[in-house]
Amino acid sequence: MPKVSAVTVPYATYLRVYEPLAAFPEPEREHWARYARRADRPSYQDELRRALADLLPTPPVPVPVHESTDAFVLEADGVVCVCPWRTRLRGWQALGELAEELPAPVLEAVLPEVVRRQAAQDYERWLARNPDARPWIRTSTWQVPLHWFVLVADEERRYDKGTGEIPPMLRYRTPMVQARRRVARSLRTLRDTIDEGPLVDGLVDVGRWLEEFHPRSLVELDYGGLVHVLPAGELEGDHSAADVAEGIAALREGDGAAAGVAYGRLVERWRSVRDRRSAN
């Protein structure tokens, strides 16, 4: 079991791919096989906490010097599946997105330009040696991107209120073949019924990402630390995947009014989350 830390780092949500051990070449496969037998594997909170700790030195360290050898592990139908952290690669990719999310003065205060420039140069050199690299984990802060919900179904939802030191949990988990099928079908519907936009662009992007993995992989959508800032009642009543599926099904049937109702529920739910972000 992953260890539980007393200090909670909130706000991040995750889309993860767990690949079977057979998908990894040797000697990496043997490394993950040994790793999966460990009893002290770290949790997602430990992963995020380590990343935040790197921002404390002066100057900050936006990207780890060495790639992580940790992973998330699960067993499904007797098959061990692994989701490598790859924090170094994800750090470089997140750094490239910061300029779009933060005002220039804030960005400069958090990560000075000289630090960002050096990290970008390091990434270019690394990418030239590793052109096929891709992360097993996608991360979002203060939201679950709506196109992520297309990959999963309401019956795959698992919610646990948590007790004592065990935090609440809300996640979906689905076979890779199902996730790919849902993306393809939804894209056909959306392209036939609405203009190109963020939802379509997001689905195209995530669909290409999923094609990079073994077909017997598992896809997991995890609310992660967001469960710590949302009231239990809101979490229990959150069936966003069902709302997304209902809206797309209505579009497929030509029922724009029903699609609008489903979309309205989503907008209202996630507006309240964004309001909490502004308050913080």
Side-chain angles (χ1 to χ4, degrees):
M1 283 288 292
K3 61 186 179 182
V4 177
S5 172
V7 179
T8 297
V9 181
Y11 314 146
T13 63
Y14 306 92
L15 189 63
R16 305 186 183 103
V17 172
Y18 292 79
E19 287 197 283
L21 288 176
F24 296 92
E26 295 290 4
E28 187 178 9
R29 184 187 308 173
E30 179 56 30
H31 164 74
W32 293 130
R34 291 195 307 269
Y35 184 91
R37 294 192 288 268
R38 285 176 47 180
D40 61 342
R41 298 192 303 269
S43 70
Y44 80 88
Q45 286 284 308
D46 296 308
E47 179 206 15
L48 183 54
R49 202 172 289 111
R50 291 178 195 176
L52 293 176
D54 285 339
L55 298 178
L56 297 178
T58 304
V61 182
V63 177
V65 177
H66 302 289
E67 187 55 272
S68 171
T69 57
D70 285 304
F72 299 114
V73 180
L74 61 81
E75 185 173 327
D77 298 326
V79 177
V80 175
C81 296
V82 176
C83 176
W85 286 8
R86 291 296 192 271
T87 49
R88 196 169 193 228
L89 172 58
R90 289 163 56 210
W92 274 318
Q93 292 178 336
L95 194 61
E97 298 169 359
L98 273 182
E100 300 176 4
E101 298 181 4
L102 297 177
V106 176
L107 180 61
E108 181 64 24
V110 174
L111 288 173
E113 183 179 358
V114 64
V115 174
R116 303 197 306 275
R117 187 185 307 117
Q118 182 61 57
Q121 292 171 353
D122 292 343
Y123 184 36
E124 288 179 7
R125 288 192 291 268
W126 183 90
L127 202 56
R129 300 191 300 271
N130 303 273
D132 297 325
R134 79 283 198 260
W136 279 255
I137 305 172
R138 291 190 166 198
T139 305
S140 182
T141 54
W142 278 107
Q143 66 171 332
V144 178
L146 292 186
H147 62 273
W148 287 9
F149 289 114
V150 172
L151 279 57
V152 297
D154 192 60
E155 58 266 24
E156 295 161 343
R157 178 184 184 272
R158 182 184 169 195
Y159 172 62
D160 192 324
K161 294 181 180 179
T163 56
E165 293 185 355
I166 301 176
M169 179 272 297
L170 178 55
R171 64 130 172 99
Y172 299 78
R173 191 176 290 160
T174 193
M176 176 63 76
V177 291
Q178 286 280 28
R180 289 175 178 170
R181 186 177 298 121
R182 288 166 182 153
V183 169
R185 191 176 186 212
S186 296
L187 272 175
R188 285 195 297 271
T189 297
L190 292 171
R191 283 171 164 163
D192 288 343
T193 55
I194 66 172
D195 295 330
E196 295 285 326
L199 181 56
V200 172
D201 293 343
L203 271 181
V204 169
D205 177 59
V206 81
R208 289 172 178 163
W209 178 63
L210 294 179
E211 290 296 332
E212 298 288 333
F213 299 98
H214 193 283
R216 293 190 63 192
S217 300
L218 294 171
V219 179
E220 179 180 78
L221 191 166
D222 184 358
Y223 274 49
L226 200 58
V227 299
H228 301 286
V229 293
L230 296 178
E234 289 187 24
L235 285 171
E236 192 165 5
D238 185 330
H239 290 266
S240 292
D243 290 332
V244 169
E246 181 180 328
I248 292 176
L251 288 175
R252 189 176 298 121
E253 296 166 3
D255 191 342
V261 170
Y263 181 70
R265 288 197 299 269
L266 286 163
V267 169
E268 186 61 30
R269 180 179 301 127
W270 291 100
R271 179 186 293 123
S272 70
V273 176
R274 288 194 299 272
D275 290 345
R276 289 186 178 88
R277 176 181 184 176
S278 300
N280 282 270

